[in-house]
Amino acid sequence: MPSPDRIVRLNTVLARSGLSRSTIYRKMAEGTFPPQIRISVNGAGWRESDIDRWVANPVAWRPMEEADNGRQGRVAPR
């Protein structure tokens, strides 16, 4: 049975990615960094698996839905 995905907070993401806070938020806006997920009214975090995938290959990172579509041979609309 696979282990559940953990939610990591900003300090962990900063340490793992080596990016600054402003760069993370800029890349999120560009769609080149995993988006945050809301965990409470005043809190947000990232899925650890998304951060791990980004760290493994930052240039090729895409949201999981887009990556799945690419594997099935679908062409994204322009």
Side-chain angles (χ1 to χ4, degrees):
M1 177 176 197
S3 61
D5 204 3
R6 291 179 34 191
I7 304 299
V8 293
R9 300 295 298 266
L10 181 60
N11 286 339
T12 304
V13 174
L14 292 171
R16 287 191 186 177
S17 69
L19 301 174
S20 69
R21 177 183 169 134
S22 59
T23 300
I24 287 173
Y25 287 111
R26 179 177 47 81
K27 287 183 161 298
M28 282 173 40
E30 294 169 350
T32 58
F33 195 82
Q36 286 182 311
I37 58 171
R38 198 53 63 211
I39 57 177
S40 71
V41 174
N42 295 318
W46 287 263
R47 286 184 178 90
E48 187 174 37
S49 61
D50 283 347
I51 300 303
D52 291 343
R53 280 191 318 115
W54 187 90
V55 168
N57 194 352
V59 175
W61 184 89
R62 292 183 294 168
M64 192 59 94
E65 305 83 49
E66 289 180 24
D68 289 344
N69 288 342
R71 287 189 203 123
Q72 295 172 0
R74 296 181 189 162
V75 177
R78 292 181 188 233

